[in-house]
C-alpha cells in the first residue's frame, strides 16, 4: 500500500517561502511523477506542478515563476517551495503520485492546511 | 491552457437511482495514441480526492462497477448506475493531455 504524507509549517508570513515535504512509503519514488495540488478553503482543486523521477518538471503557468518542486530519492521524499506568498496562497496542499501509464494521480496524501498570515 | 467545465454544478440524487455528470474541455483530449486524457475523482467530505476513472473510461483499482466513464474528444460523462449514500461528495474531472487542469467540481448530495 502506497502512502503519502505531507509535512511542513502550517503558518507562513506574507512574502516568505512556503516549504512542504511529502514522504512516500510502501513504494519507490522511481518510475512515477510526483505532484502537488492545492485547494483553497471551500473551493476547488488547483494543480501546482509535478516532477518526474528522472528530473523533468511541469508547472502551472500561473504559479511557475514562484514554484520549485524537487525530489530526494535517498529519502523517498519530494518537496514544494512556493516563494513570495500572499493570503491567496492559503490552502490545503496535497501531494500525489502520478502514474505515467494511466496518466492519472492514483495516490494522494491526506493534505495539510497552510495559512498565510502575519 | 485547456479549460474544463462541468454540469451540473450541484446534483441532488436519490439512492438507488442513476446519476450522470458532464465534463467538457476547451480542446480535444484525444491523443494520437487513441486514449482520451481525462480522469474523474471523487472528494468525499473531509477527505482527499480519490481516483475513480482514468484515460476516459478505465475504472481505477477498487472502484465499484456502478461507476463508469465515457466520451471522447471534448465531451465526457461520468455515470453512476445506482447511487449509494456513500457516493456523496464533489466530483472533479481533470485533463492530463497538457499542463493539468481540473473542472470546477459537481457537488452530489442526497435529496
Amino acid at each position: 500500500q502506497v502512502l503519502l504524507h505531507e509535512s511542513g509549517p502550517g503558518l507562513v508570513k506574507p512574502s516568505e517561502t512556503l516549504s512542504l515535504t511529502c514522504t512516500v512509503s510502501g513504494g519507490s519514488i522511481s518510475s512515477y511523477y510526483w505532484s502537488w495540488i492545492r485547494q483553497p478553503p471551500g473551493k476547488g482543486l488547483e494543480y501546482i506542478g509535478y516532477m518526474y523521477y528522472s528530473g523533468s518538471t511541469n508547472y502551472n503557468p500561473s504559479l511557475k515563476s514562484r514554484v520549485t518542486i524537487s525530489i530526494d530519492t535517498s529519502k523517498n521524499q519530494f518537496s514544494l517551495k512556493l516563494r513570495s506568498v500572499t493570503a491567496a496562497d492559503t490552502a490545503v496542499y496535497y501531494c500525489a503520485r502520478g502514474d505515467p501509464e494511466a496518466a492519472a494521480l492514483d495516490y494522494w496524501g491526506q493534505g495539510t492546511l497552510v495559512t498565510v498570515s502575519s | 491552457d485547456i479549460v474544463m467545465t462541468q454540469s451540473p454544478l450541484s446534483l441532488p440524487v436519490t439512492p438507488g437511482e442513476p446519476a450522470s455528470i458532464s465534463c467538457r474541455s476547451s480542446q480535444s483530449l484525444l491523443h494520437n495514441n487513441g486514449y482520451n486524457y481525462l480522469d474523474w475523482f471523487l472528494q468525499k467530505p473531509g477527505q482527499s480526492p480519490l481516483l475513480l476513472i482514468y484515460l476516459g473510461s478505465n475504472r481505477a483499482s477498487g472502484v465499484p462497477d456502478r461507476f463508469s466513464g465515457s466520451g471522447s474528444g471534448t465531451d465526457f460523462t461520468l455515470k453512476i448506475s445506482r447511487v449509494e449514500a456513500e457516493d456523496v461528495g464533489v466530483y472533479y474531472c481533470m485533463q492530463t493531455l497538457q499542463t493539468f487542469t481540473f473542472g470546477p467540481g459537481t457537488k452530489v448530495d442526497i435529496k
Side-chain angles (χ1 to χ4, degrees), chain B residues 65-108:
Chain B
D65 61 7
R66 64 180 181 273
F67 291 95
S68 64
S70 63
S72 185
T74 61
D75 291 324
F76 299 89
T77 302
L78 176 71
K79 292 182 180 177
I80 310 173
S81 59
R82 292 175 306 280
V83 173
E84 298 191 5
E86 66 182 24
D87 298 337
V88 300
V90 181
Y91 290 77
Y92 294 94
C93 60
M94 183 185 82
Q95 66 80 19
T96 57
L97 184 67
Q98 298 177 11
T99 302
F100 305 168
T101 45
F102 290 92
T106 294
K107 185 174 182 180
V108 172

Side-chain angles (χ1 to χ4, degrees), chain B residues 8 10-11 17 25 32 34 47 58 64 69-70 81 99 111:
Chain B
S10 178
L11 180 61
E17 294 295 308
S25 56
N32 56 21
Q47 296 186 19
N58 297 277
S70 63
S81 59
T99 302
K111 279 183 182 175

Side-chain angles (χ1 to χ4, degrees), chain A residues 1 11 22 26 28 35 37 43-44 47 64 80-81 86 93 97 101 107 111 116:
Chain A
Q1 174 75 350
L11 181 64
C22 183
S28 172
S35 304
I37 302 96
K43 296 188 178 181
Y47 163 74
K64 186 174 183 177
L80 169 70
K81 290 190 184 301
T86 69
Y93 285 76
R97 188 185 85 166
E101 290 203 4
Y107 288 94
V116 178

Side-chain angles (χ1 to χ4, degrees), chain A residues 48-85:
Chain A
I48 298 172
Y50 71 73
M51 172 172 266
Y52 201 48
Y53 77 100
S54 60
S56 62
T57 56
N58 179 281
Y59 297 132
N60 183 329
S62 69
L63 299 170
K64 186 174 183 177
S65 63
R66 299 193 290 130
V67 171
T68 302
I69 296 174
S70 58
I71 291 178
D72 186 337
T73 54
S74 67
K75 295 181 179 179
N76 243 34
Q77 294 177 334
F78 62 106
S79 299
L80 169 70
K81 290 190 184 301
L82 180 64
R83 296 174 290 277
S84 304
V85 299

Side-chain angles (χ1 to χ4, degrees), chain A residues 2-56:
Chain A
V2 176
L3 296 174
L4 291 84
H5 179 75
E6 304 90 349
S7 59
L11 181 64
V12 181
K13 290 182 168 55
S15 79
E16 296 190 345
T17 296
L18 179 159
S19 296
L20 295 174
T21 297
C22 183
T23 301
V24 181
S25 58
S28 172
I29 210 159
S30 299
S31 304
Y32 296 96
Y33 55 91
W34 302 94
S35 304
W36 290 95
I37 302 96
R38 70 181 183 179
Q39 185 171 36
K43 296 188 178 181
L45 300 167
E46 181 181 31
Y47 163 74
I48 298 172
Y50 71 73
M51 172 172 266
Y52 201 48
Y53 77 100
S54 60
S56 62

